[in-house]
Amino acid sequence: MTKSHLFPEDIERLMGKDAQRNNILAAKMVSEIVKTTLGPRGMDKMLVSPSNDIIVTNDGVTILTEMQIEHPAAKMMVEIAKTQEKEVGDGTTSAVMIAGKLLENAEKLLDQKIHPTVIVKGYQMAQAKAQEILKENALEITPDNEEILKQIAMTAMTGKGAENSKETFANIVVEAVRMVREEKSVDMEDIKIEKSLGEGVEDSELIKGIVMDKERISKDMPKIVENAKIALVDFPLELKNLDIDTKISLTSPDQLQDFLSREEEMIREMVDKVVSTGANVIFCQKGVDDFARYLLARVGIYTCRRVSRNDMEKISKATGARIISNLNELSLHDLGDAQVVEEVKKGNDAFTYIRGCKNPKAVTILIHGGTTHVIDEIERAIMDGLGDVISTINTGLIVAGGGAIEIEVARKLREYSQTINGRERLAVEEFANALEFIPITLAENAGLDPIDILTELKAKHNIGERNYGLNLFTNKIENVLGSRILEPYKVKAQAINSATEVANMILRIDDVIASKPNKKGNMNFAGARPDYLDNLE
Ligand code: ADP
Ligand code: MG
């Protein structure tokens, strides 16, 4: 370790080769961690938090965020997983693996005394070319092609918790997207995921409306309302709080009584007003007090209180109700419609179902399952499926999975590298090698011989069979378009793009200056802890 006297004692510094090697090592370690989860035969990881909470997952981004990684370069790797998750919702493991391999291969070039800036330049050239090749090899599909969309969802969910019911879930995912889609744009926010413990995974369902974990506020209210007319109010239905809101001087008990009756009168008016519009259901974002509750129950209005803003907005989209902030505005037109509003108890949980909405612009996927671990992992699988279906609709482009597209891009990149004269050519070749890490790992995780598989795949692609990939249902190398192993183009484009970005960013670093925590345990800057340097050695 190189100490610098420029800095105070508590600053640690790694320079030049040390800094590079240390960062590359950390990035490789991150990629090694997630590697075994890749693909349908990937294994799961069990993560145990300090408070003994357990997560069992196969999802790259979940593993990395839960691990609370400290090393700054490793953290940058975690960031690509997060970006990938945010941008497309799937492909997080692949993105991290490609980045790790790009860095590992860069190390080989560094060993040959190739300057990092040359590698960075070569990687940039390769990434630009790879994007072109990806586009050329993508197939167009329309949002109406629901069979293909289902296949995309199934490929995304293969090997995850949802594996056994992936057909059910693929149908649910595609149907949900169809309902909320406007032309080619789909907002993930319009699809709510609600989880219910108990019953089997197969009982999971798509609700044409919203399900929320709220119960009606009084047993005297109806448990089920048909032909619901729903009012959404975001003001409280309660007496003003005497302590906070009002300063009045009361000199006699009569005055107090008088004051309270006036307040009660106001509540009565509020409730009458809502009833007069014809509403038979009220969802209130704020509180509803005992008196209002009593009045509402008496007229048989199903009421929930303290509904989250998020749910209010979703109910508005699903039922067409307008969220009202001022009672004077409320009219029949502001009410939303649903066939049924109903309270359903499941074990200890109570839900309100708003179902049978005519043309809902927001829907709910209700996941059932025996344990929270199962439900959570299914939720992650569904999020992958949703992300993939949505990004397919957005771009209208798909590619062949099972490593087919990676092999093809690598092959074309090697052709391209032949046209480059400088040493960047070597970097372009290493970029191609890095992409092959995906099919290699798919094979490895399934217990197949990666060298055999890679050789066979390359041979097929060399004779123009560009959609040949590894089908892990049959363990055969075949045209995977035919076997419907399909992935969105966007997942691959984003993974390659952000993997290159982070690899290049890490390669450009030749100086790490990290401050030790000071005596109070505070970080001096950047939150970087020098301990990581020791941990890696
Ligand atoms: P990621 O987080 O990168 O999406 P996954 O564990 O979901 O990681 O694995 C995705 C990879 O698995 C993709 O390369 C995809 O083509 C591949 N894959 C999915 N289903 C199959 C299959 N039946 N046969 C072979 N490969 C598959
Ligand atoms: Mg995936």
Side-chain angles (χ1 to χ4, degrees):
M1 172 154 317
T2 323
K3 284 263 183 216
S4 159
H5 298 292
L6 267 179
F7 298 109
E9 275 289 289
D10 57 356
I11 297 286
E12 288 206 31
R13 191 166 179 198
L14 271 186
M15 289 197 296
K17 231 174 144 183
D18 286 342
Q20 258 155 12
R21 298 304 158 112
N22 183 284
N23 283 339
I24 290 174
L25 178 61
K28 271 197 318 204
M29 284 169 71
V30 173
S31 144
E32 285 294 317
I33 290 168
V34 292
K35 171 183 158 176
T36 56
T37 69
L38 183 80
R41 303 282 196 84
M43 303 296 280
D44 296 346
K45 286 193 191 288
M46 179 186 260
L47 305 163
V48 185
S49 79
S51 54
N52 272 334
D53 289 332
I54 292 169
I55 297 179
V56 177
T57 185
N58 180 287
D59 188 47
V61 70
T62 307
I63 295 167
L64 294 177
T65 38
E66 292 295 328
M67 279 180 31
Q68 308 188 352
I69 287 171
E70 292 280 359
H71 190 289
K75 273 188 174 165
M76 288 162 74
M77 296 281 284
V78 179
E79 286 306 312
I80 19 172
K82 287 190 190 160
T83 311
Q84 181 79 20
E85 178 78 0
K86 201 169 118 249
E87 295 290 323
V88 277
D90 191 21
T92 55
T93 312
S94 307
V96 169
M97 284 175 56
I98 295 171
K101 206 62 175 179
L102 284 175
L103 285 162
E104 187 180 331
N105 294 357
E107 201 170 26
K108 286 191 236 160
L109 299 175
L110 291 172
D111 287 343
Q112 298 168 37
K113 302 274 180 295
I114 295 175
H115 197 270
T117 53
V118 174
I119 306 175
V120 167
K121 171 100 183 296
Y123 277 2
Q124 262 161 1
M125 292 163 72
Q127 124 79 14
K129 190 72 189 175
Q131 296 295 347
E132 272 176 36
I133 305 167
L134 266 182
K135 259 247 159 81
E136 282 164 18
N137 282 279
L139 302 168
E140 283 183 31
I141 76 145
T142 65
D144 310 318
N145 199 333
E146 297 201 348
E147 270 322 300
I148 298 279
L149 293 177
K150 275 178 200 163
Q151 297 295 342
I152 297 261
M154 295 220 297
T155 303
M157 294 188 280
T158 310
K160 314 266 168 197
E163 172 77 33
N164 294 331
S165 321
K166 66 180 173 185
E167 208 158 334
T168 312
F169 285 118
N171 286 330
I172 288 179
V173 161
V174 172
E175 179 76 355
V177 170
R178 187 180 61 74
M179 283 181 179
V180 303
R181 167 168 77 86
E182 316 258 1
E183 298 292 314
K184 284 192 166 186
S185 107
V186 184
D187 189 350
M188 192 98 146
E189 280 290 301
D190 294 340
I191 300 173
K192 181 177 180 191
I193 297 193
E194 188 67 63
K195 300 178 263 189
S196 167
L197 203 55
E199 296 181 85
V201 170
E202 277 290 335
D203 298 314
S204 302
E205 53 187 327
L206 175 67
I207 310 284
K208 290 183 188 167
I210 300 299
V211 178
M212 56 179 177
D213 54 349
K214 286 273 164 202
E215 52 194 325
R216 69 206 149 115
I217 55 175
S218 159
K219 296 285 163 282
D220 299 328
M221 291 172 177
K223 201 168 179 199
I224 177 163
V225 178
E226 303 206 2
N227 294 322
K229 294 274 172 219
I230 300 164
L232 296 176
V233 296
D234 73 356
F235 49 85
L237 295 173
E238 52 194 17
L239 294 174
K240 284 209 189 73
N241 187 324
L242 284 180
D243 298 336
I244 301 165
D245 287 351
T246 330
K247 270 196 189 133
I248 43 167
S249 334
L250 297 171
T251 48
S252 72
D254 283 355
Q255 263 182 333
L256 176 61
Q257 194 48 52
D258 202 36
F259 176 79
L260 289 178
S261 342
R262 251 185 293 141
E263 287 279 295
E264 277 183 15
E265 199 45 47
M266 282 167 68
I267 294 274
R268 220 180 273 277
E269 274 169 25
M270 265 202 252
V271 170
D272 285 349
K273 172 79 193 175
V274 176
V275 175
S276 74
T277 60
N280 49 17
V281 174
I282 297 177
F283 295 126
C284 180
Q285 196 184 323
K286 302 276 170 53
V288 177
D289 71 8
D290 287 348
F291 186 58
R293 178 165 68 177
Y294 161 75
L295 293 176
L296 288 165
R298 212 175 54 175
V299 290
I301 293 188
Y302 186 113
T303 310
C304 294
R305 69 179 159 197
R306 306 213 181 279
V307 175
S308 73
R309 183 70 195 180
N310 204 309
D311 278 343
M312 294 286 282
E313 279 163 8
K314 288 200 167 87
I315 297 169
S316 165
K317 279 194 156 176
T319 66
R322 201 162 72 88
I323 302 175
I324 295 299
S325 309
N326 180 347
L327 252 193
N328 298 326
E329 289 173 15
L330 185 65
S331 75
L332 182 63
H333 304 295
D334 300 317
L335 303 183
D337 297 289
Q339 246 166 37
V340 180
V341 169
E342 181 185 7
E343 184 186 278
V344 176
K345 289 230 153 119
K346 300 221 160 132
N348 291 331
D349 304 324
F351 296 93
T352 289
Y353 282 56
I354 304 154
R355 57 162 109 227
C357 301
K358 262 201 210 88
N359 188 15
K361 287 292 151 224
V363 296
T364 306
I365 296 176
L366 185 64
I367 308 173
H368 292 285
T371 73
T372 46
H373 301 145
V374 169
I375 295 181
D376 287 349
E377 182 64 351
I378 287 176
E379 178 183 15
R380 288 187 281 269
I382 288 184
M383 294 301 281
D384 286 356
L386 276 174
D388 278 7
V389 169
I390 292 174
S391 64
T392 302
I393 289 176
N394 288 342
T395 61
L397 295 174
I398 56 170
V399 295
I405 189 70
E406 286 85 359
I407 293 282
E408 187 60 19
V409 175
R411 189 179 73 86
K412 287 280 176 99
L413 276 181
R414 285 200 189 91
E415 275 179 22
Y416 165 67
S417 75
Q418 300 303 312
T419 66
I420 302 169
N421 286 324
R423 302 179 103 189
E424 286 83 6
R425 172 185 188 158
L426 299 171
V428 175
E429 279 166 10
E430 288 304 345
F431 196 102
N433 294 339
L435 294 178
E436 286 171 357
F437 190 35
I438 299 294
I440 288 176
T441 309
L442 286 173
E444 221 169 75
N445 287 350
L448 303 171
D449 186 293
I451 312 255
D452 287 353
I453 300 285
L454 190 62
T455 317
E456 204 180 325
L457 277 173
K458 280 176 152 178
K460 286 291 180 196
H461 282 246
N462 282 338
I463 57 167
E465 294 286 6
R466 60 180 186 170
N467 293 317
Y468 266 59
L470 173 58
N471 178 350
L472 286 174
F473 297 131
T474 57
N475 285 353
K476 288 213 178 80
I477 286 177
E478 59 190 30
N479 183 330
V480 286
L481 289 185
S483 26
R484 294 279 192 248
I485 300 170
L486 308 172
E487 289 189 275
Y489 150 82
K490 183 80 193 295
V491 170
K492 300 295 173 188
Q494 178 70 39
I496 293 179
N497 185 333
S498 41
T500 314
E501 239 169 56
V502 75
N504 279 350
M505 190 182 275
I506 291 176
L507 282 173
R508 282 201 200 94
I509 299 169
D510 76 340
D511 196 353
V512 177
I513 307 163
S515 70
K516 279 185 181 170
N518 65 23
K519 288 198 184 65
K520 286 188 196 126
N522 297 332
M523 307 294 176
N524 288 343
F525 59 80
R529 265 208 358 223
D531 295 357
Y532 69 82
L533 299 173
D534 313 331
N535 292 342
L536 276 172
E537 244 75 86

